[in-house]
Amino acid sequence: MRKYVIMGIQGSGKGTQAKLLAAEFDLVHIAVGDIYRWHVQYHTKIGAQVRRTMSAGELVDDALTESLVRERLELHDWNHGFILDGFPRNLRQAQFFMESYDVDAVIHLDLPDGEVRRRVLARRLCAHCGMDYNLIEHRPAKEGRCDACGGELVTREDDTEEALAARLADYHTKTDPALELFRAKELVVTVDATASKSAVQRAIREQLGLPLPTKKATRTTS
């Protein structure tokens, strides 16, 4: 059984890398953001609280987040293990996690703030169908228009220089101490997240001692 936590600043590719590991090694990908969204989508009492908090530009209360993580892990549907994405985000949450659970490794995707800005500020969203684009890697065929429905591509409301600067400061103030706690326990493996998705995945597996991705054979003709 493998149990991992994946941490990294916004834009570092946590979700992408977690999904790749989960698919290859039959792990359950537990994304705290998805849990929040589920409650919002199904209009639960917790969802209403989450919606109010996020609308105010604040983070969801530690106690509520911890209870949601505990509830999710207690389902024990992770027969081969899990990879936890989006938690812990601060020292208190890290301490709660260490007291309640054991983990094999904490994967830290290291991305400089300058690269975070470049990636995040290149994001676009279709105003009509909601499809995501990133002008660095996924440009639309027609400038400013969605490939799927032709809708206008817009910048997300919270993807401004000011909002991003606030999120970066918040991350370093709150999440860096959590990482230090895990480092003190010798659990952290740090990977350069500026590389390509495949290179980052390979580096993660190398550091964790997992089987490396195999290259697909190419058919040749004589």
Side-chain angles (χ1 to χ4, degrees):
M1 181 180 290
R2 300 180 174 102
K3 292 177 283 186
Y4 303 124
V5 169
I6 190 164
M7 299 177 69
I9 204 162
Q10 183 180 16
S12 61
K14 295 189 303 298
T16 297
Q17 297 301 329
K19 288 173 184 175
L20 289 171
L21 287 172
E24 183 68 21
F25 299 104
D26 200 17
L27 306 176
V28 174
H29 176 207
I30 301 174
V32 174
D34 289 345
I35 297 174
Y36 291 156
R37 283 186 284 273
W38 184 91
H39 280 281
V40 171
Q41 180 181 350
Y42 288 96
H43 305 287
T44 68
K45 290 182 179 179
I46 290 174
Q49 184 177 342
V50 169
R51 185 190 294 274
R52 286 195 301 270
T53 301
M54 297 182 76
S55 296
E58 300 172 356
L59 293 176
V60 178
D61 176 76
D62 284 339
L64 175 58
T65 302
E66 289 163 11
S67 70
L68 290 174
V69 170
R70 183 188 294 110
E71 181 182 273
R72 179 63 186 85
L73 289 174
E74 285 178 351
L75 292 177
H76 289 288
D77 58 345
W78 32 277
N79 295 329
H80 298 283
F82 62 79
I83 181 161
L84 183 58
D85 169 8
F87 183 91
R89 291 189 174 184
N90 58 44
L91 184 58
R92 169 181 159 160
Q93 292 178 359
Q95 290 168 335
F96 156 79
F97 189 77
M98 291 295 293
E99 290 168 0
S100 306
Y101 307 97
D102 63 326
V103 65
D104 296 306
V106 175
I107 305 159
H108 173 220
L109 300 183
D110 187 28
L111 193 68
D113 287 1
E115 180 62 13
V116 175
R117 290 188 179 91
R118 188 178 80 92
R119 293 184 182 186
V120 171
L121 296 178
R123 298 193 304 192
R124 297 293 184 272
L125 185 71
C126 176
H128 181 67
C129 72
M131 180 174 287
D132 285 311
Y133 290 82
N134 188 296
L135 302 185
I136 299 170
E137 296 183 351
H138 181 201
R139 299 188 69 90
K142 184 178 180 181
E143 191 71 24
R145 291 290 169 182
C146 176
D147 292 338
C149 71
E152 181 185 5
L153 298 187
V154 297
T155 302
R156 300 184 188 197
E157 290 183 9
D158 59 346
D159 280 355
T160 63
E161 285 279 6
E162 296 77 11
L164 180 56
R167 292 202 298 272
L168 287 170
D170 189 70
Y171 176 87
H172 292 303
T173 300
K174 295 180 179 178
T175 307
D176 285 354
L179 273 168
E180 288 306 314
L181 176 66
F182 288 130
R183 283 197 182 96
K185 302 292 184 180
E186 299 184 344
L187 290 169
V188 177
V189 297
T190 298
V191 174
D192 178 6
T194 62
S196 67
K197 292 176 185 177
S198 58
V200 171
Q201 178 69 192
R202 186 177 186 86
I204 291 172
R205 295 194 194 185
E206 285 175 345
Q207 293 219 43
L208 295 177
L210 298 174
L212 299 180
T214 56
K215 294 182 179 180
K216 294 182 180 179
T218 56
R219 181 179 297 176
T220 58
T221 56
S222 57

